[in-house]
């Protein structure tokens, strides 16, 4: 699903010039930013604006991280983040305008939703009950006091089964995880607001924004040593010694030990990582030719008959020939283990149950956005575990005023979004800039 923004020749030349064998001083940078996703871009842009010398490195061969516009089926779709959430305060809305892109009216584009049970449309009465149950879930969450910090499942355990089912489906689709693992207190404080779509793809916008920063692609960090006067960062292309580091690597990779820290991280940061868990929200894109099955662009079909295996289908987003299947939690993790082809077949079969077997004749291919298995993310975005309401705060604290973690996991009320990641990176850059002293690194 990846694409290279720089040529391989440019990449090799850049790597040779900047990342040398042994331990090299990054004399052309005050700050090393690890990761060219939304947070890393926000950090690098802000450091440059503040007049600081910054180097941006990225393990992938592209920018954007989990904000990626996939074109492997011949038409673009956002394999990860798709909406500019809380558009009134989201920096990506302004960045789109600067790039000459006018984001469209998000959820107002929705042309309606339909619910199904085992492929058959639910009745009007059942539909009304379902909406009532969803409203009840919201009411239950509002009644949970922050000091209780319950899981979603605990909050509605005394409710009727239809409320429990609605809560489980919402958790999988919105938080990307099963409700037993999601803190209501954290969920309640997340920012809401308007949502907008980016014509041509959110990932395309993010990748374009990264280009002036000249990221060094294909550089994988293996260790960060913050024991000395500065920071020594080990990569598969050599070592770098810098004054400050902003690490925007996803929580999934940090928790898996993808980067070794010397010495080990402080207790607060360990508590922060332990209190976070990567959700598994995933997508399968299905392409069809010559058939619309009677559905309009941006219409949502929800298969709700099995709450443990809920799946939605968005038809023809942004006038493409695609249907996007979305699912989360352990259901998504299970499909991830089966591989891409099996996941595509599974989503197609569930869609066929709704529209009929003739859909197979119009099917032209599919792809699985498998963030759970992606070695550079190991999940979709970070949720707070019940009882760990301060996890985001703990992880966002600086380490010895030399190392900062930033990303969607540390974005406070804006967490779990690309806009929040950018804001977290920008805020970390401001803190780093304030701490930078004049003079050379000893």
């Amino acid at each position: 699903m990846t694409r290279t923004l720089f040529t391989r020749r440019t990449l090799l030349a850049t790597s040779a010039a900047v990342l040398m064998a042994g331990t090299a001083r990054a004399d052309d940078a005050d700050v090393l930013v690890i990761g060219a996703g939304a947070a890393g871009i926000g950090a690098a842009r802000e450091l440059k604006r503040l007049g600081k010398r910054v180097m941006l490195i990225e393990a992938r061969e592209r920018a954007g991280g989990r904000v990626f516009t996939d074109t492997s089926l011949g038409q673009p779709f956002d394999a990860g983040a798709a909406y500019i959430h809380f558009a009134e305060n989201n920096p990506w809305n302004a960045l789109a305008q600067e790039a000459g892109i006018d984001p469209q009216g998000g959820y107002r584009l929705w042309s309606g939703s339909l619910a199904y049970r085992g492929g058959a449309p639910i009745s009007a009465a059942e539909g009304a009950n379902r909406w009532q149950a969803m409203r009840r879930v919201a009411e239950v969450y509002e009644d949970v006091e922050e000091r209780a910090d319950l899981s979603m499942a605990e909050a509605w355990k005394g409710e009727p089964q239809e409320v429990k089912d609605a809560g489980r489906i919402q958790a999988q689709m919105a938080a990307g995880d099963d409700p037993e693992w999601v803190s209501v207190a954290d969920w309640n404080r997340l920012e809401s607001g308007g949502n907008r779509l980016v014509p041509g793809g959110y990932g395309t916008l993010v990748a374009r924004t990264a280009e002036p920063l000249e990221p060094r692609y294909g550089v994988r960090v293996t260790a960060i040593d913050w024991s000395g006067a500065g920071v020594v960062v080990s990569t598969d292309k050599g070592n770098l010694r810098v004054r400050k580091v902003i690490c925007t690597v996803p929580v999934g990779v940090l928790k898996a030990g993808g980067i070794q820290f010397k010495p080990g991280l402080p207790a607060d940061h360990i508590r922060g990582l332990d209190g976070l868990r990567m959700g598994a929200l995933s997508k399968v894109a299905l392409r069809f030719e010559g058939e619309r099955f009677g559905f309009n662009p941006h219409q949502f079909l929800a298969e709700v008959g099995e709450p443990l295996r809920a799946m939605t289908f968005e038809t023809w987003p942004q006038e493409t020939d695609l249907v996007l299947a979305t699912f989360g939690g352990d259901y998504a993790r299970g499909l991830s283990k089966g591989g891409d082809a099996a996941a595509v077949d599974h989503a197609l079969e569930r869609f066929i149950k709704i529209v009929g077997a003739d859909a197979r004749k119009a099917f032209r291919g599919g792809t699985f956005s498998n963030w759970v298995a992606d070695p550079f993310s190991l999940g979709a975005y970070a949720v707070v575990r019940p009882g760990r309401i301060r996890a985001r705060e703990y992880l966002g604290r600086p380490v010895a005023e030399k190392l900062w973690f930033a990303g969607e996991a540390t974005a406070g009320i804006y967490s779990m979004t690309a806009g929040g990641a950018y804001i977290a990176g920008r805020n970390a850059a401001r803190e780093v800039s304030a701490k930078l002293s004049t003079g050379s690194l000893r």
Side-chain angles (χ1 to χ4, degrees):
M1 295 193 304
T2 59
R3 63 189 180 90
T4 305
L5 298 182
F6 289 175
T7 66
R8 180 170 176 81
R9 180 178 296 177
T10 302
L11 172 65
L12 292 175
T14 303
S15 297
V18 178
L19 300 171
M20 298 174 286
T23 301
R25 285 176 54 176
D27 291 323
D28 59 344
D30 297 307
V31 186
L32 178 68
V33 177
I34 302 171
I41 292 168
R45 279 175 55 92
E46 185 67 6
L47 287 165
K48 291 190 67 146
R49 187 188 71 81
L50 294 170
K52 307 304 178 184
R53 300 173 301 169
V54 58
M55 181 188 300
L56 177 60
I57 62 175
E58 166 59 48
R60 301 180 190 269
E61 298 290 353
R62 61 167 179 83
R66 289 162 284 169
V67 194
F68 172 57
T69 302
D70 190 330
T71 59
S72 62
L73 294 177
Q75 294 181 343
F77 75 97
D78 281 310
Y83 288 95
I84 298 179
H85 295 299
F86 56 91
E88 300 82 0
N89 302 315
N90 193 319
W92 288 111
N93 195 51
L95 288 166
Q97 300 285 353
E98 290 176 17
I101 300 170
D102 184 17
Q104 300 170 333
Y107 294 153
R108 289 193 299 275
L109 293 175
W110 287 10
S111 55
S113 61
L114 299 169
Y116 297 81
R117 187 178 297 279
I122 64 174
S123 67
E126 188 177 357
N129 289 338
R130 181 169 174 266
W131 283 112
Q132 275 190 337
M134 292 175 67
R135 286 194 291 270
R136 178 57 187 157
V137 170
E139 292 172 356
V140 168
Y141 292 163
E142 289 175 1
D143 290 340
V144 175
E145 297 183 10
E146 182 170 321
R147 64 176 178 270
D149 197 9
L150 304 174
S151 74
M152 288 179 166
E154 289 174 308
W156 38 251
K157 66 181 179 180
E159 295 292 324
Q161 189 61 46
E162 58 264 27
V163 174
K164 295 178 181 179
D165 290 347
R168 182 167 296 281
I169 292 171
Q170 183 202 52
Q172 292 173 348
M173 295 300 175
D177 214 336
D178 295 291
E180 292 81 5
W181 294 102
V182 185
S183 161
V184 174
D186 184 68
W187 180 259
N188 281 344
R189 67 183 179 181
L190 296 178
E191 180 74 348
S192 59
N195 298 276
R196 300 181 74 80
L197 279 170
V198 182
Y202 204 164
T204 300
L205 167 64
V206 173
R208 184 186 304 183
T209 305
E211 288 177 3
L213 302 171
E214 299 182 340
R216 276 70 165 172
Y217 295 113
V219 182
R220 189 166 187 169
V221 172
T222 57
I224 298 176
D225 185 342
W226 53 280
S227 62
V231 185
V232 177
V233 177
S234 300
T235 82
D236 59 354
K237 300 293 192 300
N239 296 343
L240 288 167
R241 187 178 181 187
V242 294
R243 300 174 69 183
K244 311 286 184 186
V245 170
I246 298 176
C247 179
T248 71
V249 171
V251 162
V253 176
L254 296 176
K255 287 174 71 74
I259 297 176
Q260 299 298 309
F261 294 92
K262 305 173 185 178
L265 292 175
D268 277 354
H269 295 79
I270 297 299
R271 279 195 287 268
L273 286 172
D274 186 58
L276 294 165
R277 169 183 165 98
M278 290 297 280
L281 193 70
S282 304
K283 297 178 185 178
V284 166
L286 307 171
R287 183 170 183 181
F288 297 90
E289 186 175 284
E291 180 59 71
R292 285 292 184 267
F293 313 111
F295 298 118
N296 298 319
H298 297 286
Q299 195 158 1
F300 281 78
L301 320 177
E303 177 50 74
V304 299
E306 300 176 70
L308 290 172
R309 301 169 70 248
M311 181 176 283
T312 64
F313 299 93
E314 181 184 6
T315 57
W316 330 124
Q318 301 206 49
E319 303 292 341
T320 62
D321 296 326
L322 305 176
V323 172
L324 300 184
T326 303
F327 43 95
D330 283 346
Y331 179 37
R333 294 185 183 97
L335 289 177
S336 172
K337 293 177 182 177
D340 292 8
V344 170
D345 288 344
H346 179 79
L348 177 61
E349 288 302 318
R350 297 200 73 180
F351 184 66
I352 283 173
K353 281 190 175 182
I354 293 174
V355 300
D358 284 348
R360 199 181 302 278
K361 300 175 184 176
F363 179 63
R364 293 295 180 269
T367 187
F368 182 22
S369 302
N370 191 353
W371 298 109
V372 174
D374 186 320
F376 303 118
S377 62
L378 297 178
Y381 40 69
V383 300
V384 173
R385 295 171 57 193
R388 308 298 183 88
I389 188 61
R390 299 184 67 186
R392 300 190 192 280
E393 172 199 337
Y394 286 143
L395 185 60
R397 293 176 178 176
V399 179
E401 297 188 352
K402 289 184 283 187
L403 169 63
W404 279 255
F405 293 97
E408 53 83 14
T410 66
I413 65 172
Y414 301 117
S415 293
M416 300 162 63
T417 69
Y422 187 99
I423 291 170
R426 185 178 64 191
N427 290 347
R430 291 171 180 173
E431 291 184 28
V432 168
S433 179
K435 297 295 183 183
L436 280 170
S437 60
T438 58
S440 61
L441 175 68
R442 294 192 299 274

